[in-house]
């Protein structure tokens, strides 16, 4: 048994009476937004089962196997998509025939009864899962509603990657994916266990080594993730989250946002939606406390600090304001559309229109100026002032870390390929890769960075946009 499963008894208490418990022990964080109650905990179930339901949240099983555990979610890997499986207790399609020992082997060693599991399933992190947590999880999985059908999609990798036993050699080098640190307080040890083993934060935030295992020397220092970038979350002041207070970290993990500072989009939204928003105050505090003591690593992607004085103030809480502001631009854009030739490699478009637009009575910029591009393509969701349309379920983008990085890659990626809010019901953001030229995307990128990121200047070029789209596309 692992030495640090101590908070388990505390956890049972917190499931039973979470609010009173949290208030008493963490007076410093009483202003935290309330945590979302667990949908899969029931007074009809045993304590062990209910604890397993919570462990499943902390280990984020649902992000990959779906909320009903029916599987079929593609996990993008450099060798191709690997699909998650049905892990309901169906004997034909799920894990209904698993013994607890089989379950333990699958989680800790990536070994299913009849085959090796690909590490798209984060067993290199779950390797450190405690016996108690695995027993609770196993009890809980016996109570999950059975789904008697195969996942919508299953994995087909080409030879020789389809030889699952190759994973045995890989496991020798890459399991476990992290080591336990000495000299941590009990709270930090709980935090380490959550961050490294259950939540497996490093599977996205740690760069990979040559064999695609986690690079322990660059632990949590940021890594590209398909069309996204998972930033450096070590406590380095300039390139990581060193300037965040523990409360900031807790609030971000619970709500997916920090006002004028950060937003959890894409894969991070998934982590918040399926997992971290359900965590107790105690567990979030332990994670925040631990993240403050992991080795700080400086990377070349530094964050340009917010110059608050340069950030816009919200202009109006009336939706009419936004619509009127946009109206002229939209009309002009519509009238111009047939003439705008999308030329991927040059700035000709803006030259063309400025010569057409010499009418001194026109107060607005021409329709391909950075401002009009923003108003035409972005303001209907994010607002004229960047604070999002009133009552809209979209995120305000003012001050976000994703628009203040020295490397504009993440922002260009979002504009080119779009974004989906996983923990709100807002329709998704479309990608503009096909509708806008590289020069236009560059222009919007610069506009957003300067006007909503508070950057003194930004000179992203069409070539840079082209490179990012090629790399991420
Ligand atoms: C990051 C995504 C991810 C997360 C998180 C994840 N899994 Fe998986 N899991 C997968 C994928 C992908 C497979 C299929 C791998 C393969 O085909 O080799 C899998 C396979 C499995 C299997 C083997 C099933 C079989 O017999 O084929 C079990 C059991 C399992 N997962 C349980 C869990 C549990 C329990 C959790 C939470 C503690 C969890 N998984 C979290 C991606 C994930
Ligand atoms: C599935 C991949 C994935 C997992 C798992 C994940 N993250 Fe993230 N994380 C991201 C991405 C991508 C972003 C960037 C989000 C954005 O800018 O919208 C991010 C952003 C963040 C940020 C904000 C950093 C900043 O500078 O704005 C913090 C803090 C963070 N993650 C912490 C964590 C912690 C702690 C965990 C483990 C509980 C975790 N993440 C798990 C992908 C992930
Ligand atoms: C149809 C509505 C819509 C439009 C149009 C739109 N977005 Fe978004 N945007 C979203 C949604 C949805 C998200 C995901 C976050 C959320 O849940 O609101 C998002 C996220 C973002 C983010 C945050 C990325 C992060 O996670 O840190 C930025 C920056 C952004 N959009 C910029 C833009 C820009 C620039 C444009 C115009 C080129 C644009 N958006 C157009 C809906 C939209």
């Amino acid at each position: 048994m692992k030495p640090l499963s101590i908070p388990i008894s505390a956890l049972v208490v917190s499931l039973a009476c979470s609010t009173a418990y949290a208030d008493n022990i963490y007076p410093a964080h009483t202003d935290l937004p309330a945590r979302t109650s667990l949908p899969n905990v029931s007074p009809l179930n045993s304590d062990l089962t209910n604890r397993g339901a919570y462990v499943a949240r902390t280990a984020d099983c649902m992000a990959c196997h779906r909320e009903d555990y029916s599987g079929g979610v593609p996990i993008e890997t450099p060798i191709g998509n690997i699909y998650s499986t049905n892990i309901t207790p169906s004997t034909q399609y799920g894990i209904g025939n698993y013994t607890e020992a089989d379950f333990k082997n699958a989680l800790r060693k990536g070994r299913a009864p009849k085959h090796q599991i690909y590490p798209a399933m984060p067993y290199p992190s779950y390797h450190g899962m405690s016996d108690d947590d695995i027993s609770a999880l196993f009890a809980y999985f016996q109570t999950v509603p059975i789904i008697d059908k195969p996942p919508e999609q299953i994995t087909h990798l080409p030879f020789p990657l389809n030889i699952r036993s190759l994973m045995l050699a890989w496991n020798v080098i890459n399991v476990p994916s992290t080591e336990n640190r000495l000299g941590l307080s009990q709270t930090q040890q709980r935090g380490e266990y959550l961050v490294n083993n259950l939540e497996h934060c490093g599977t996205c935030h740690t760069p990979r080594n040559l064999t695609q295992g986690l690079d322990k020397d660059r632990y949590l220092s940021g890594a590209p993730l398909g069309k996204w970038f998972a930033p450096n979350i070590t406590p380095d002041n300039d390139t990581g989250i060193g300037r965040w207070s523990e409360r900031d970290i807790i609030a971000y993990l619970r709500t997916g946002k920090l006002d004028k500072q950060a937003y959890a989009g894409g894969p991070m939204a998934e982590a918040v939606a399926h997992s971290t928003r359900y965590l107790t105050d105690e567990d979030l505090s332990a994670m925040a406390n631990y993240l403050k003591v992991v080795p700080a690593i400086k990377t070349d992607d530094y964050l340009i600090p917010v110059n608050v004085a340069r950030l816009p103030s919200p202009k109006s809480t009336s939706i009419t304001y936004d619509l009127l502001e946009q109206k002229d631009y939209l009309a002009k854009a519509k009238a111009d559309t047939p003439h705008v030739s999308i030329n991927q490699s040059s700035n000709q478009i803006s030259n063309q229109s400025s010569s057409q637009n010499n009418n001194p009575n026109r107060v607005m910029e021409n329709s391909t100026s950075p401002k009009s591009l923003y108003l035409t393509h972005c303001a209907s969701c994010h607002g004229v002032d960047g604070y999002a349309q009133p009552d809209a379920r979209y995120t305000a983008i003012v001050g976000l870390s994703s628009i203040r990085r020295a490397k504009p890659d993440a922002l260009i990626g979002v504009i080119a390929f779009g974004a989906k809010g996983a923990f709100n019901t807002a329709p998704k953001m479309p990608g503009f890769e096909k509708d806008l030229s590289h020069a236009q995307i560059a222009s919007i990128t610069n506009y957003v960075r300067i006007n909503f990121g508070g950057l003194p200047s930004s000179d992203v070029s069409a070539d840079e946009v082209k490179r990012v789209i090629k790399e991420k596309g």
Side-chain angles (χ1 to χ4, degrees):
M1 176 161 132
K2 289 217 23 149
L4 256 188
S5 28
I6 318 160
I8 276 159
S9 53
L11 239 159
V12 174
V13 178
S14 76
L15 282 169
C17 53
S18 62
T19 43
Y21 174 71
D23 287 355
N24 292 343
I25 301 194
Y26 292 96
H29 298 311
T30 45
D31 57 335
L32 277 176
R35 103 182 145 103
T36 311
S37 57
L38 283 175
N40 45 359
V41 161
S42 155
L44 300 176
N45 290 339
S46 69
D47 282 352
L48 184 69
T49 303
N50 280 339
R51 197 158 60 70
Y54 181 77
V55 175
R57 285 291 164 197
T58 62
D60 206 6
C61 313
M62 294 79 158
C64 299
H65 290 277
R66 298 189 197 277
E67 287 284 327
D68 64 359
Y69 305 110
S70 60
V73 176
I75 316 293
E76 284 177 36
T77 78
I79 57 171
N81 278 353
I82 296 183
Y83 293 90
S84 64
T85 48
N86 176 336
I87 54 168
T88 73
S90 158
T91 46
Q92 197 178 353
Y93 301 104
I95 59 171
N97 294 323
Y98 271 47
T99 63
E100 188 169 332
D102 292 338
F103 190 64
K104 192 179 284 187
N105 275 332
L107 287 171
R108 285 212 189 129
K109 299 185 180 148
R111 191 181 304 148
K114 294 199 184 107
H115 62 269
Q116 286 298 127
I117 300 172
Y118 291 112
M121 156 81 184
Y123 64 82
S125 305
Y126 295 155
H127 182 79
M129 213 187 260
S130 73
D131 284 345
D132 282 355
D133 281 354
I134 293 180
S135 298
L137 257 185
F138 186 69
Y140 162 66
F141 271 100
Q142 309 312 307
T143 67
V144 164
I146 292 174
I147 295 186
D148 257 330
K149 54 177 193 211
E152 278 160 29
Q153 301 257 31
I154 50 171
T155 309
H156 292 290
L157 290 179
F159 178 84
L161 299 168
N162 60 353
I163 308 178
R164 289 176 171 265
S165 52
L166 290 178
M167 287 301 132
L168 287 169
W170 188 90
N171 290 347
V172 174
I173 315 172
N174 294 304
V175 181
S177 62
T178 52
E179 279 134 30
N180 290 357
R181 281 257 302 282
L182 296 174
L184 296 180
S185 71
Q186 271 190 6
T187 303
Q188 287 159 354
Q189 287 178 48
R190 172 73 183 163
E192 177 183 61
Y193 176 61
L194 285 162
V195 168
N196 288 356
N197 303 122
L198 296 184
E199 287 285 355
H200 57 275
C201 312
T203 53
C204 296
H205 287 277
T206 301
R208 304 267 159 179
N209 61 27
L210 285 177
T211 66
Q212 290 299 319
L214 300 189
D215 180 347
K216 292 174 197 167
D217 294 337
R218 294 191 291 155
Y219 174 61
L220 298 182
S221 68
L225 193 69
K227 298 180 169 48
W228 290 82
F229 184 84
N232 181 346
I233 56 167
T234 73
D236 182 65
N237 274 342
D238 304 316
T239 64
I241 56 170
R243 291 178 206 270
W244 292 36
S245 67
E246 284 184 30
R247 192 201 174 278
D248 288 344
I249 300 175
I250 297 168
Y252 179 85
L253 293 175
R254 177 152 292 167
T255 62
K257 55 182 183 252
L258 269 191
D259 193 33
K260 289 191 216 160
Q261 193 170 336
Y263 185 81
M268 188 63 205
E270 301 273 335
V272 174
H274 296 290
S275 173
T276 59
R277 67 173 165 159
Y278 295 104
L279 267 51
T280 60
D281 286 8
E282 185 195 37
D283 277 348
L284 288 180
S285 299
M287 285 165 65
N289 202 241
Y290 170 68
L291 286 171
K292 283 280 163 192
V293 299
V294 304
I297 297 176
K298 203 173 271 309
T299 53
D300 54 358
D301 188 21
Y302 66 93
L303 263 166
I304 306 169
V306 183
N307 179 347
V308 181
R310 292 185 52 96
L311 292 182
S313 321
K315 289 227 178 76
S316 167
T317 54
S318 151
I319 193 158
T320 326
Y321 166 79
D322 278 76
L323 294 177
L324 288 177
E325 269 287 286
Q326 274 173 275
K327 196 173 73 96
D328 283 348
Y329 290 98
L330 291 172
K332 179 73 169 61
K334 212 171 174 183
D336 277 0
T337 313
H339 313 294
V340 176
S341 64
I342 296 194
N343 186 328
Q344 299 283 14
S345 59
S346 77
N347 283 321
Q348 277 168 4
I349 310 156
S350 47
N351 298 340
Q352 265 172 21
S353 334
S354 47
S355 56
Q356 289 163 1
N357 198 20
N358 290 335
N359 182 349
N361 295 329
R362 283 217 119 104
V363 270
M364 65 190 179
E365 291 94 317
N366 68 67
S367 72
T368 49
S369 75
K371 181 170 183 183
S372 79
L373 284 170
Y374 175 81
L375 291 183
T376 319
H377 299 287
C378 321
S380 56
C381 295
H382 297 295
V384 166
D385 53 11
Y387 282 94
Q389 292 270 21
D391 302 326
R393 290 153 295 165
Y394 298 107
T395 179
I397 54 175
V398 174
L400 296 189
S401 56
S402 55
I403 66 177
R404 286 186 288 117
R405 299 203 166 265
K407 287 192 182 167
D409 299 29
L411 176 57
I412 296 172
V414 167
I415 299 176
F417 302 109
K420 192 170 165 298
F423 54 93
N424 62 27
T425 50
K428 66 184 190 151
M429 167 170 165
F432 292 89
E433 178 211 6
K434 301 226 159 58
D435 296 333
L436 296 177
S437 68
H438 294 155
Q440 287 174 314
I441 293 181
S443 189
I444 298 181
T445 305
N446 291 327
Y447 182 83
V448 166
R449 277 158 54 100
I450 293 171
N451 291 281
F452 306 136
L455 269 56
S457 66
S458 171
D459 52 4
V460 173
S461 66
D463 282 347
E464 214 162 350
V465 171
K466 191 176 173 185
R467 170 187 62 79
V468 173
I469 291 180
K470 199 173 161 210
E471 275 172 22
K472 294 185 185 281

